[in-house]
PDB file of all heavy atoms in Angstrom:
ATOM      1  N   PRO I 128      81.966 109.949 111.153  1.00 97.00           N
ATOM      2  CA  PRO I 128      80.677 109.398 110.695  1.00 97.00           C
ATOM      3  C   PRO I 128      80.806 108.213 109.743  1.00 97.00           C
ATOM      4  O   PRO I 128      79.839 107.852 109.087  1.00 97.00           O
ATOM      5  CB  PRO I 128      80.045 110.599 109.974  1.00 97.00           C
ATOM      6  CG  PRO I 128      81.212 111.361 109.444  1.00 97.00           C
ATOM      7  CD  PRO I 128      82.353 111.169 110.409  1.00 97.00           C
ATOM      8  N   VAL I 129      82.009 107.634 109.656  1.00 98.00           N
ATOM      9  CA  VAL I 129      82.239 106.557 108.678  1.00 98.00           C
ATOM     10  C   VAL I 129      82.545 105.231 109.384  1.00 98.00           C
ATOM     11  O   VAL I 129      83.499 105.134 110.150  1.00 98.00           O
ATOM     12  CB  VAL I 129      83.422 106.904 107.738  1.00 98.00           C
ATOM     13  CG1 VAL I 129      83.585 105.830 106.672  1.00 98.00           C
ATOM     14  CG2 VAL I 129      83.229 108.279 107.103  1.00 98.00           C
ATOM     15  N   LEU I 130      81.719 104.222 109.116  1.00 98.00           N
ATOM     16  CA  LEU I 130      82.016 102.867 109.599  1.00 98.00           C
ATOM     17  C   LEU I 130      82.688 102.108 108.474  1.00 98.00           C
ATOM     18  O   LEU I 130      82.287 102.246 107.311  1.00 98.00           O
ATOM     19  CB  LEU I 130      80.739 102.097 109.948  1.00 98.00           C
ATOM     20  CG  LEU I 130      80.078 102.238 111.298  1.00 98.00           C
ATOM     21  CD1 LEU I 130      79.072 101.105 111.492  1.00 98.00           C
ATOM     22  CD2 LEU I 130      81.071 102.264 112.434  1.00 98.00           C
ATOM     23  N   ALA I 131      83.692 101.303 108.809  1.00 98.00           N
ATOM     24  CA  ALA I 131      84.324 100.410 107.835  1.00 98.00           C
ATOM     25  C   ALA I 131      84.137  98.996 108.366  1.00 98.00           C
ATOM     26  O   ALA I 131      84.547  98.689 109.483  1.00 98.00           O
ATOM     27  CB  ALA I 131      85.804 100.751 107.700  1.00 98.00           C
ATOM     28  N   VAL I 132      83.484  98.161 107.564  1.00 98.00           N
ATOM     29  CA  VAL I 132      83.053  96.850 108.055  1.00 98.00           C
ATOM     30  C   VAL I 132      83.494  95.766 107.069  1.00 98.00           C
ATOM     31  O   VAL I 132      83.316  95.923 105.854  1.00 98.00           O
ATOM     32  CB  VAL I 132      81.504  96.815 108.167  1.00 98.00           C
ATOM     33  CG1 VAL I 132      81.019  95.468 108.672  1.00 98.00           C
ATOM     34  CG2 VAL I 132      81.001  97.945 109.063  1.00 98.00           C
ATOM     35  N   SER I 133      84.043  94.664 107.577  1.00 98.00           N
ATOM     36  CA  SER I 133      84.380  93.547 106.672  1.00 98.00           C
ATOM     37  C   SER I 133      83.174  92.632 106.532  1.00 98.00           C
ATOM     38  O   SER I 133      82.403  92.468 107.478  1.00 98.00           O
ATOM     39  CB  SER I 133      85.586  92.775 107.203  1.00 98.00           C
ATOM     40  OG  SER I 133      85.239  92.059 108.362  1.00 98.00           O
ATOM     41  N   HIS I 134      83.026  92.012 105.332  1.00 98.00           N
ATOM     42  CA  HIS I 134      81.849  91.152 105.136  1.00 98.00           C
ATOM     43  C   HIS I 134      82.184  89.730 104.694  1.00 98.00           C
ATOM     44  O   HIS I 134      81.284  88.918 104.504  1.00 98.00           O
ATOM     45  CB  HIS I 134      80.843  91.785 104.167  1.00 98.00           C
ATOM     46  CG  HIS I 134      81.365  92.059 102.783  1.00 98.00           C
ATOM     47  ND1 HIS I 134      81.899  91.082 101.970  1.00 98.00           N
ATOM     48  CD2 HIS I 134      81.418  93.211 102.059  1.00 98.00           C
ATOM     49  CE1 HIS I 134      82.257  91.619 100.805  1.00 98.00           C
ATOM     50  NE2 HIS I 134      81.988  92.917 100.840  1.00 98.00           N
ATOM     51  N   GLY I 135      83.480  89.397 104.532  1.00 98.00           N
ATOM     52  CA  GLY I 135      83.818  88.049 104.077  1.00 98.00           C
ATOM     53  C   GLY I 135      83.495  87.870 102.600  1.00 98.00           C
ATOM     54  O   GLY I 135      83.362  88.845 101.859  1.00 98.00           O
ATOM     55  N   ILE I 136      83.350  86.604 102.178  1.00 98.00           N
ATOM     56  CA  ILE I 136      83.091  86.312 100.762  1.00 98.00           C
ATOM     57  C   ILE I 136      81.674  85.782 100.578  1.00 98.00           C
ATOM     58  O   ILE I 136      81.267  84.843 101.253  1.00 98.00           O
ATOM     59  CB  ILE I 136      84.081  85.262 100.222  1.00 98.00           C
ATOM     60  CG1 ILE I 136      85.497  85.836 100.128  1.00 98.00           C
ATOM     61  CG2 ILE I 136      83.642  84.760  98.842  1.00 98.00           C
ATOM     62  CD1 ILE I 136      86.500  84.905  99.463  1.00 98.00           C
ATOM     63  N   GLY I 137      80.936  86.363  99.655  1.00 98.00           N
ATOM     64  CA  GLY I 137      79.694  85.774  99.178  1.00 98.00           C
ATOM     65  C   GLY I 137      78.444  86.173  99.939  1.00 98.00           C
ATOM     66  O   GLY I 137      78.482  86.872 100.959  1.00 98.00           O
ATOM     67  N   PHE I 138      77.316  85.683  99.408  1.00 98.00           N
ATOM     68  CA  PHE I 138      76.000  86.091  99.894  1.00 98.00           C
ATOM     69  C   PHE I 138      75.761  85.697 101.361  1.00 98.00           C
ATOM     70  O   PHE I 138      75.232  86.493 102.145  1.00 98.00           O
ATOM     71  CB  PHE I 138      74.894  85.469  99.031  1.00 98.00           C
ATOM     72  CG  PHE I 138      74.887  85.941  97.588  1.00 98.00           C
ATOM     73  CD1 PHE I 138      74.514  85.074  96.563  1.00 98.00           C
ATOM     74  CD2 PHE I 138      75.236  87.241  97.254  1.00 98.00           C
ATOM     75  CE1 PHE I 138      74.489  85.501  95.240  1.00 98.00           C
ATOM     76  CE2 PHE I 138      75.228  87.678  95.928  1.00 98.00           C
ATOM     77  CZ  PHE I 138      74.850  86.799  94.921  1.00 98.00           C
ATOM     78  N   ALA I 139      76.122  84.470 101.734  1.00 98.00           N
ATOM     79  CA  ALA I 139      75.794  84.003 103.089  1.00 98.00           C
ATOM     80  C   ALA I 139      76.488  84.868 104.136  1.00 98.00           C
ATOM     81  O   ALA I 139      75.868  85.320 105.104  1.00 98.00           O
ATOM     82  CB  ALA I 139      76.187  82.540 103.247  1.00 98.00           C
ATOM     83  N   SER I 140      77.776  85.102 103.919  1.00 98.00           N
ATOM     84  CA  SER I 140      78.553  85.890 104.876  1.00 98.00           C
ATOM     85  C   SER I 140      78.058  87.351 104.899  1.00 98.00           C
ATOM     86  O   SER I 140      77.892  87.955 105.961  1.00 98.00           O
ATOM     87  CB  SER I 140      80.030  85.821 104.480  1.00 98.00           C
ATOM     88  OG  SER I 140      80.804  86.588 105.340  1.00 98.00           O
ATOM     89  N   LEU I 141      77.776  87.889 103.705  1.00 98.00           N
ATOM     90  CA  LEU I 141      77.284  89.270 103.630  1.00 98.00           C
ATOM     91  C   LEU I 141      75.917  89.413 104.297  1.00 98.00           C
ATOM     92  O   LEU I 141      75.650  90.401 104.996  1.00 98.00           O
ATOM     93  CB  LEU I 141      77.197  89.716 102.164  1.00 98.00           C
ATOM     94  CG  LEU I 141      76.607  91.114 101.968  1.00 98.00           C
ATOM     95  CD1 LEU I 141      77.539  92.179 102.538  1.00 98.00           C
ATOM     96  CD2 LEU I 141      76.325  91.398 100.499  1.00 98.00           C
ATOM     97  N   SER I 142      75.061  88.430 104.092  1.00 98.00           N
ATOM     98  CA  SER I 142      73.704  88.511 104.612  1.00 98.00           C
ATOM     99  C   SER I 142      73.698  88.674 106.142  1.00 98.00           C
ATOM    100  O   SER I 142      73.003  89.530 106.700  1.00 98.00           O
ATOM    101  CB  SER I 142      72.944  87.245 104.206  1.00 98.00           C
ATOM    102  OG  SER I 142      71.719  87.194 104.854  1.00 98.00           O
TER     103      SER I 142
END
Side-chain angles (χ1 to χ4, degrees):
V129 184
L130 275 195
V132 180
S133 70
H134 60 57
I136 291 186
F138 296 146
S140 178
L141 176 67
S142 171

